[in-house]
Amino acid sequence: MSVNQQAHTGPPYGQPQPGYQGYQQPAYGGQPLPGAPQSQYGGPYNGPMPGYQQPVPPQGSLRAPPTSGAPPPASGASLPSGHPGYNQFGHGDVQNGIPASAASMQRPPTSQPFLPGSAPTPVSQPATFQQYGHPPASVQQLSNHMAGMTIASTTASAPPPAGLGYGPPTSAPPVSGIFTATGSGLYTPYTASPGPPPTTVSQGLPLAQPPFPGQPTPTQRLPTQVPGFAPPPPSTGIGPSSYPPATGAPRPPTMPGPPLPGQTLAGPPASQPNHVSSPPPPSTMSGPHPGPPMGGLHGPPPPTHPPQPGYQMQQNGPFGQVRGPQPNYGGAYPGTPNYGTQPGPPAPQKRLDPDSIPSPIQVIEDDRNNRGSEPFVTGVRGQVPPLVTTNFVVKDQGNASPRYIRCTSYNIPCTSDMAKQSQVPLAAVIKPLATLPPEETLPYLVDHGESGPVRCNRCKAYMCPFMQFIEGGRRFQCCFCSCVTEVPPHYFQHLDHTGKRVDFYDRPELSLGSYEFLATVDYCKNNKFPSPPAFIFMIDVSYNAMKSGLVKLICEELKSLLDYLPREGNMEESAIRVGFVTYNKVLHFYNVKSSLAQPQMMVVSDVADMFVPLLDGFLVNVNESRTVIASLLDQIPEMFADTRETETVFAPVIQAGLEALKAAECAGKLFIFHTSLPIAEAPGKLKNRDDKKLINTDKEKTLFQPQTSFYNNLAKDCVAQGCCVDLFLFPNQYLDVATLGVVTYQTGGSIYKYAYFQLETDQDRFLNDLRRDVQKEVGFDAVMRVRTSTGIRATDFFGAFYMSNTTDVEMAGLDCDKTITVEFKHDDKLSEDSGALLQCALLYTSCAGQRRLRIHNLSLNCCTQLADLYRNCETDTLINYLAKYAYRGVLSSPVKTVRDALINQCAQILACYRKNCASPSSAGQLILPECMKLLPVYLNCVLKSDVLQPGLEVTTDDRAYIRQLVTSMDVAETNVFFYPRLLSLTKADVDSDALPAAIRNSEERLSRGDIYLLENGLNIFVWVGVNVQQSFIQNLFGVSSFSQISNALSTLPVLENPFSKKVRSIIDTIQAQRSRYMKLIIVKQEDKLEMLFKHFLVEDKSLSGGASYVDFLCHMHKEIRQLLS
């Protein structure tokens, strides 16, 4: 009964599991997730540094994802159509491999989690073998010969880690701690814990189907030995492929035998251990908890098939070819294969120790210790900033703060050939309006009067610290294009003996990396200054919205919220005007003019030809019309209380808001509160096209695409008017987020989704999100352009915006949480002396109606040695870029192709390092660059995310929602989204303000006697172990025993004791760091909700087939070795 399953098998995990109904969405949806941080009314959000996107230096023609968006097709991967490659979202039809019956027995349900000594790798089992029908029973899997896999993270020969991306050298050592996991067969037989796969895994024959899409993508052909999935020529030897096969135990094809000891046959066993998908039948839950292994669960395998580590055969391809001995692999292959007859002597089983592989927690901790105390001074070119997880203060001395721009590398290759060779994408993640912590200064506003900002005559770059003044200060040479421009007379100033202007420190644009210019009328639409923007609240009053209490809640909240509209620094009141619309199948506009005693309603029932029935009195000043507005908000819930109208329209609602802003000649934002699929007869009408059967097929991409082009055209009109759309969705079923979100996405707006909205559990989250959304800083009618010095140029852009040409990023609205990711390519050589420069210029209208230009400048180093590139990369930014690249790729390519391209690109990045920068060492060692040692663990988290590998309970809407959300996330947000933060609450020091130490995201790190908090930016889980002391339960939940804790709580009770205060303060601190208010979910160990929680323990194998960290590391090692051979 070999274990190799990897979620692969269809059915078994397919059926919805009993008792899980409510949660359909793991994270996002079933329970709505997003939430706005607490900053409630106004407090700045100094969370993890909000803005850090780093610009990424452009990279030459990086191989990276082609700009076109489609990831390169995976070259080798030609699976027969029915076999979804690695991503198995087990679903019914496409079953790769064992029939359900077999699958279901595969291994004890929750399996591996933890034998005490075992490696946590649940993943190891490749799922793969199954693919082509079951192997004959006699076939054994190969045990991996992993000869000593040593992961030497390198500091190796590469030049000293001094400049390392991750903090001073101090942090480096760990790396070269070669993780040697030696041993050949690291694969213990099945039950024994899943041993981590060897990394040295041989050269890679793909298993029957590599669990990992490793098939190389075209970017670089692997040696022929790995043609798609055909059996490799015998010479290849047995390398365990991709994911080490699960150990040597033979696997009977269907195994009807008795369930293993701990295994219940009730629902489909979750054969993969820990992760969300279908929760296994309750009984199974007993074992997997961290803590002492539960009896029975992982007991010895059923006697019938003793594991035979010694003879392993690997089934390759459909035919189960057996490989001959592999040259230098020790262990398990004594002599020739025994073709299944008798086992050779068993090899000692060793496995990769999870503590010996790079730990995100350790890297984060080292960076905090090394770089958290000193301010980050931006005066030096090409400095790698502290990690986003480190709290630090920035002092601007000529380069933009990492809160505004973060780069994938701060030292970029001088030539495009070098960039292509390394495959490191050159990108910058830019957050132009990022919120700064109180101790940092906001960008200064510079007013040059009617003449406007000083710019280069040729390339139009704005004056900045890198411009060179010549001829005594009468002219300046542009640092971007080298053109010489006359200094305007009013701007002239003498130079000092070093060639600097004497007013250098008095002018922000000469001494700082970020500043603003007041724009002149030439920068305004139609050459006239803009009017202040307007906010229009558009409320769905159909049956669903009324019945849930939503409409009443919104109206009550708006009465007080309208006093907190954004305003310029010292203004007494906001300049923003407001308007109100309600709708179901028709639209109702309200006249709330201050001179009226009561509001007046006008109905537009001709939704096919939308117009606004009134001009005067629709958009008003809040203070002037306060009583009329209050009266309206009291009346709306009563007017529609008895409605029976269930159908809604959607596109006409946006058209109405757009027409109102056009008539008022201003920009603005629509806040739309919507509950259902718009099926009423009207423009933009949609049909329910949700179809889970498309998952893992070539048509899966249609699930992410809008069903009609109508909304793309509407978005274009909205952008032209500066009409930004924020969408609050409250679905009880499929709503087609992929289509409804188009206008929001292209206008720079935000989507918030609260599935199965219930007042008692969701109102806090919704109201906090709404408050923050209404109050946050936002610029309207924005256009952003990124200029670069000669040698590189911006070629590709990711984010929530619209582009009508190749250079200008247009956004009807841009708020302080949105980022734009820009990729650069070489168009010429760069020089080490002059480095490379980026200038991001954002033209926008402030909330008071002032037209401004915000400028951010950044200088990067250039290198001729690959080691310098690898020493100055920023993995968190690289993952932010790769996730966005992949999430855009699913719109045009099959998900498997996208996954394979990601794996291939990362293998190439690491193989190039190994080949060109590391000191020579045996092929059995995995050597990682110091500042990229977390690339495998983070990349695996992206591959296992719901967009690229959904569990069965993830809805199509969740996937579309997450895809859009991630596309505008900054680096701090993607970091915690893909690798959640896990803290032990019971270990928190109640007398200190500090957060408790974080722990790694794996079930084996949890103890049954503790309470943990896990957050990913959208949800906060509080997991309570079954053996927690009664005093903790009493102090935190106010009940006397574990069984009395209610998982319906959406907030913790306010109790007067130190532990309760400490935990609530930790939650408040974390909420304040995030841009959305996170939903609090209480999870009791062994409860049905635990499957949802386990989905976020990302170092473990996932139920939807994602690999564990240990297995993925071995898989990457195999891919790298294939590239090097």
Side-chain angles (χ1 to χ4, degrees):
M1 133 137 217
S2 105
V3 226
N4 47 311
Q5 71 327 319
Q6 200 182 346
H8 231 151
T9 71
Y13 322 109
Q15 296 80 338
Q17 287 283 111
Y20 205 42
Q21 282 71 358
Y23 310 104
Q24 284 80 303
Q25 345 259 119
Y28 332 112
Q31 314 305 65
L33 311 130
Q38 296 259 62
S39 83
Q40 295 270 57
Y41 279 134
Y45 138 56
N46 323 323
M49 322 323 212
Y52 309 17
Q53 309 339 71
Q54 350 240 185
V56 160
Q59 172 128 359
S61 58
L62 280 157
R63 208 27 192 281
T67 26
S68 67
S75 81
S78 49
L79 293 180
S81 56
H83 302 250
Y86 160 58
N87 314 310
Q88 332 46 257
F89 300 124
H91 67 254
D93 355 59
V94 215
Q95 156 154 1
N96 323 339
I98 30 185
S101 55
S104 63
M105 289 296 321
Q106 266 199 159
R107 74 145 134 300
T110 1
S111 141
Q112 355 275 31
F114 328 90
L115 287 190
S118 79
T121 92
V123 169
S124 70
Q125 313 354 10
T128 106
F129 275 131
Q130 289 84 270
Q131 269 339 106
Y132 297 92
H134 3 50
S138 65
V139 178
Q140 311 293 131
Q141 317 250 224
L142 272 186
S143 112
N144 285 312
H145 284 162
M146 210 15 225
M149 138 168 207
T150 46
I151 302 191
S153 150
T154 187
T155 331
S157 72
L164 288 176
Y166 277 33
T170 28
S171 60
V175 202
S176 41
I178 284 199
F179 330 150
T180 52
T182 59
S184 25
L186 332 110
Y187 256 72
T188 15
Y190 174 125
T191 38
S193 73
T199 350
T200 17
V201 195
S202 95
Q203 337 320 10
L205 320 180
L207 288 184
Q209 133 162 17
F212 244 92
Q215 286 352 79
T217 47
T219 17
Q220 188 163 338
R221 277 332 234 311
L222 293 191
T224 47
Q225 56 187 63
V226 201
F229 289 97
S235 62
T236 2
I238 44 182
S241 95
S242 312
Y243 271 96
T247 120
R251 89 125 53 65
T254 40
M255 228 211 106
L260 299 191
Q263 168 161 357
T264 69
L265 279 174
S271 92
Q272 288 39 338
N274 14 1
H275 270 128
V276 170
S277 245
S278 27
S283 61
T284 57
M285 299 295 308
S286 58
H289 279 287
M294 298 302 290
L297 237 185
H298 332 275
T304 36
H305 328 293
Q308 289 141 320
Y311 64 99
Q312 357 287 154
M313 294 167 35
Q314 171 154 345
Q315 179 188 347
N316 253 318
F319 318 115
Q321 223 186 310
V322 178
R323 317 265 55 103
Q326 169 98 331
N328 359 351
Y329 276 56
Y333 226 95
T336 44
N338 298 332
Y339 293 106
T341 43
Q342 321 111 271
Q349 307 277 328
K350 296 228 178 102
R351 48 187 161 273
L352 185 53
D353 173 9
D355 288 323
S356 65
I357 58 183
S359 158
I361 306 302
Q362 191 59 52
V363 169
I364 288 170
E365 199 48 45
D366 290 346
D367 192 75
R368 279 193 184 130
N369 297 336
N370 296 327
R371 310 197 60 185
S373 48
E374 295 295 306
F376 177 67
V377 180
T378 71
V380 182
R381 181 174 86 188
Q383 275 188 109
V384 182
L387 298 185
V388 284
T389 42
T390 297
N391 256 321
F392 59 99
V393 175
V394 179
K395 289 211 159 65
D396 185 342
Q397 292 194 356
N399 281 293
S401 160
R403 302 191 206 292
Y404 294 123
I405 306 184
R406 273 189 181 259
C407 293
T408 51
S409 176
Y410 288 80
N411 198 333
I412 63 181
C414 285
T415 64
S416 63
D417 289 346
M418 191 173 152
K420 279 195 189 99
Q421 186 184 356
S422 75
Q423 287 288 307
V424 175
L426 300 182
V429 184
I430 306 174
K431 194 174 187 181
L433 299 179
T435 311
L436 300 184
E439 60 275 18
E440 294 178 21
T441 319
L442 292 172
Y444 289 99
L445 181 59
V446 178
D447 183 358
H448 283 313
E450 289 181 19
S451 58
V454 177
R455 304 176 68 176
C456 164
N457 274 344
R458 184 200 291 160
C459 72
K460 302 296 181 208
Y462 294 86
M463 179 54 65
C464 72
F466 314 119
M467 297 289 190
Q468 192 66 46
F469 287 87
I470 53 176
E471 298 176 21
R474 286 188 296 279
R475 308 172 83 190
F476 68 90
Q477 182 167 24
C478 178
C479 51
F480 294 94
C481 68
S482 306
C483 172
V484 174
T485 300
E486 293 284 334
V487 171
H490 72 89
Y491 198 70
F492 174 77
Q493 188 50 274
H494 295 286
L495 308 184
D496 66 12
H497 64 286
T498 63
K500 264 189 185 166
R501 285 174 49 128
V502 296
D503 61 354
F504 175 81
Y505 291 107
D506 304 329
R507 291 193 176 271
E509 73 275 20
L510 299 181
S511 53
L512 300 176
S514 300
Y515 41 87
E516 292 200 309
F517 290 120
L518 204 53
T520 58
V521 77
D522 312 335
Y523 292 88
C524 302
K525 261 192 201 155
N526 309 324
N527 279 6
K528 63 180 201 189
F529 285 112
S531 309
F535 281 1
I536 304 177
F537 297 92
M538 317 186 86
I539 306 168
D540 174 347
V541 289
S542 64
Y543 177 75
N544 279 344
M546 297 304 304
K547 184 186 68 176
S548 64
L550 178 63
V551 175
K552 188 167 178 23
L553 183 68
I554 293 168
C555 292
E556 281 302 312
E557 180 61 29
L558 287 179
K559 289 183 203 169
S560 55
L561 189 53
L562 295 176
D563 289 329
Y564 295 91
L565 298 177
R567 52 177 183 252
E568 293 286 306
N570 47 12
M571 292 173 57
E572 299 261 321
E573 63 173 47
S574 174
I576 294 173
R577 290 169 298 160
V578 298
F580 302 88
V581 172
T582 56
Y583 67 94
N584 39 47
K585 276 204 311 202
V586 298
L587 276 76
H588 322 108
F589 292 80
Y590 297 93
N591 182 343
V592 283
K593 198 171 175 182
S594 55
S595 55
L596 295 174
Q598 281 295 318
Q600 295 171 347
M601 174 163 89
M602 299 185 189
V603 180
V604 176
S605 51
D606 181 6
V607 290
D609 182 19
M610 189 41 66
F611 66 99
V612 179
L614 73 162
L615 288 180
D616 189 31
F618 180 63
L619 294 178
V620 298
N621 171 293
V622 175
N623 281 338
E624 291 171 10
S625 295
R626 183 176 299 279
T627 53
V628 196
I629 291 173
S631 169
L632 171 66
L633 295 173
D634 283 334
Q635 291 174 39
I636 288 174
E638 293 164 15
M639 273 190 286
F640 300 99
D642 301 324
T643 184
R644 284 282 165 270
E645 185 53 74
T646 54
E647 294 188 357
T648 56
V649 295
F650 184 70
V653 181
I654 297 176
Q655 288 171 326
L658 171 61
E659 291 303 324
L661 294 177
K662 274 187 186 163
E665 298 185 342
C666 69
K669 185 181 271 200
L670 312 183
F671 294 84
I672 302 179
F673 303 91
H674 189 78
T675 62
S676 58
L677 189 70
I679 54 175
E681 272 312 319
K685 170 185 173 179
L686 301 179
K687 58 180 193 289
N688 186 339
R689 52 157 187 169
D690 189 17
D691 186 359
K692 282 268 180 101
K693 292 207 261 321
L694 299 180
I695 293 180
N696 280 344
T697 67
D698 285 350
K699 291 193 176 153
E700 183 172 1
K701 57 182 181 244
T702 59
L703 297 174
F704 296 108
Q705 299 164 353
Q707 44 172 296
T708 154
S709 60
F710 182 86
Y711 289 95
N712 291 9
N713 299 326
L714 180 54
K716 187 175 168 181
D717 296 341
C718 287
V719 173
Q721 182 54 42
C723 170
C724 175
V725 179
D726 277 0
L727 190 52
F728 292 82
L729 298 172
F730 305 87
N732 288 330
Q733 57 198 20
Y734 179 70
L735 190 75
D736 205 347
V737 174
T739 306
L740 296 188
V742 167
V743 179
T744 297
Y745 188 67
Q746 295 190 18
T747 57
S750 306
I751 301 184
Y752 298 86
K753 178 166 163 284
Y754 311 87
Y756 308 106
F757 178 80
Q758 290 180 313
L759 273 187
E760 53 285 1
T761 52
D762 298 312
Q763 78 170 26
D764 276 355
R765 186 160 58 105
F766 163 57
L767 294 179
N768 277 288
D769 283 345
L770 177 59
R771 287 167 195 157
R772 183 155 196 280
D773 196 54
V774 167
Q775 296 168 40
K776 65 186 172 189
E777 180 185 359
V778 58
F780 293 95
D781 241 336
V783 182
M784 185 182 100
R785 183 176 286 194
V786 178
R787 293 181 172 81
T788 52
S789 51
T790 312
I792 52 172
R793 61 197 168 85
T795 55
D796 205 355
F797 302 85
F798 303 82
F801 52 73
Y802 174 78
M803 291 187 82
S804 53
N805 57 36
T806 57
T807 53
D808 296 335
V809 174
E810 301 172 46
M811 293 154 289
L814 172 67
D815 64 50
C816 56
D817 298 323
K818 295 283 184 304
T819 64
I820 291 93
T821 300
V822 185
E823 187 182 0
F824 303 94
K825 296 265 165 84
H826 286 74
D827 53 11
D828 203 347
K829 285 202 172 73
L830 294 166
S831 91
E832 284 188 276
D833 300 338
S834 55
L837 302 174
L838 319 176
Q839 182 178 81
C840 162
L842 175 78
L843 174 65
Y844 71 100
T845 301
S846 73
C847 55
Q850 202 176 51
R851 202 71 176 146
R852 298 180 175 185
L853 283 153
R854 179 168 289 201
I855 313 295
H856 296 298
N857 302 287
L858 187 65
S859 58
L860 303 170
N861 287 328
C862 295
C863 58
T864 51
Q865 299 298 315
L866 284 165
D868 291 325
L869 163 69
Y870 284 102
R871 216 179 294 115
N872 292 279
C873 287
E874 231 256 320
T875 300
D876 292 322
T877 309
L878 187 57
I879 288 292
N880 178 283
Y881 165 82
L882 291 171
K884 291 172 180 178
Y885 176 76
Y887 281 18
R888 183 177 67 186
V890 299
L891 291 172
S892 51
S893 308
V895 173
K896 181 180 187 319
T897 308
V898 174
R899 299 163 51 83
D900 290 353
L902 273 183
I903 291 174
N904 186 260
Q905 183 171 1
C906 289
Q908 293 203 32
I909 290 172
L910 298 174
C912 173
Y913 175 80
R914 172 72 188 254
K915 183 175 173 188
N916 301 288
C917 312
S919 47
S921 58
S922 86
Q925 289 190 318
L926 169 56
I927 299 183
L928 302 169
E930 171 62 18
C931 65
M932 281 191 187
K933 64 186 180 188
L934 298 182
L935 186 60
V937 61
Y938 286 165
L939 177 70
N940 189 34
C941 295
V942 173
L943 293 168
K944 294 186 340 181
S945 64
D946 289 321
V947 172
L948 299 182
Q949 192 167 34
L952 281 160
E953 70 305 318
V954 180
T955 66
T956 303
D957 275 344
D958 288 332
R959 297 178 73 197
Y961 172 65
I962 291 305
R963 196 191 75 76
Q964 295 192 5
L965 208 57
V966 169
T967 308
S968 316
M969 279 185 181
D970 70 17
V971 180
E973 288 170 324
T974 50
N975 173 272
V976 76
F977 179 75
F978 290 114
Y979 192 92
R981 174 154 61 163
L982 181 61
L983 310 172
S984 169
L985 297 178
T986 29
K987 304 238 177 352
D989 176 356
V990 294
D991 302 318
S992 130
D993 290 339
L995 290 175
I999 54 180
R1000 291 173 65 171
N1001 280 289
S1002 169
E1003 186 172 4
E1004 67 162 20
R1005 311 270 170 182
L1006 304 180
S1007 144
R1008 305 166 70 82
D1010 286 321
I1011 300 177
Y1012 296 89
L1013 177 148
L1014 180 145
E1015 62 113 0
N1016 71 342
L1018 296 180
N1019 292 315
I1020 291 180
F1021 292 93
V1022 172
W1023 182 90
V1024 188
V1026 288
N1027 299 343
V1028 172
Q1029 289 174 20
Q1030 193 264 334
S1031 59
F1032 283 127
I1033 292 177
Q1034 184 70 54
N1035 288 338
L1036 190 56
F1037 300 103
V1039 296
S1040 55
S1041 70
F1042 178 81
S1043 59
Q1044 293 174 301
I1045 299 170
S1046 160
N1047 33 20
L1049 294 174
S1050 56
T1051 50
L1052 290 174
V1054 177
L1055 303 173
E1056 286 303 311
N1057 66 69
F1059 184 59
S1060 173
K1061 286 179 181 164
K1062 177 65 183 174
V1063 171
R1064 284 179 289 113
S1065 127
I1066 289 171
I1067 289 176
D1068 291 345
T1069 303
I1070 291 174
Q1071 288 281 23
Q1073 292 173 353
R1074 305 289 171 228
S1075 61
R1076 291 172 178 241
Y1077 192 84
M1078 295 179 279
K1079 180 184 182 76
L1080 178 69
I1081 300 172
I1082 308 292
V1083 179
K1084 293 157 71 174
Q1085 184 175 359
E1086 297 170 20
D1087 185 71
K1088 62 181 182 186
L1089 265 175
E1090 198 180 32
M1091 296 314 289
L1092 178 58
F1093 172 76
K1094 287 182 182 178
H1095 183 66
F1096 299 99
L1097 297 177
V1098 293
E1099 289 196 21
D1100 295 336
K1101 183 164 183 173
S1102 74
L1103 272 178
S1104 50
S1108 69
Y1109 174 20
V1110 172
D1111 285 358
F1112 184 69
L1113 197 58
C1114 297
H1115 177 71
M1116 285 303 288
H1117 187 212
K1118 193 195 101 202
E1119 292 286 313
I1120 292 165
R1121 292 180 61 173
Q1122 278 182 342
L1123 290 170
L1124 295 177
S1125 61

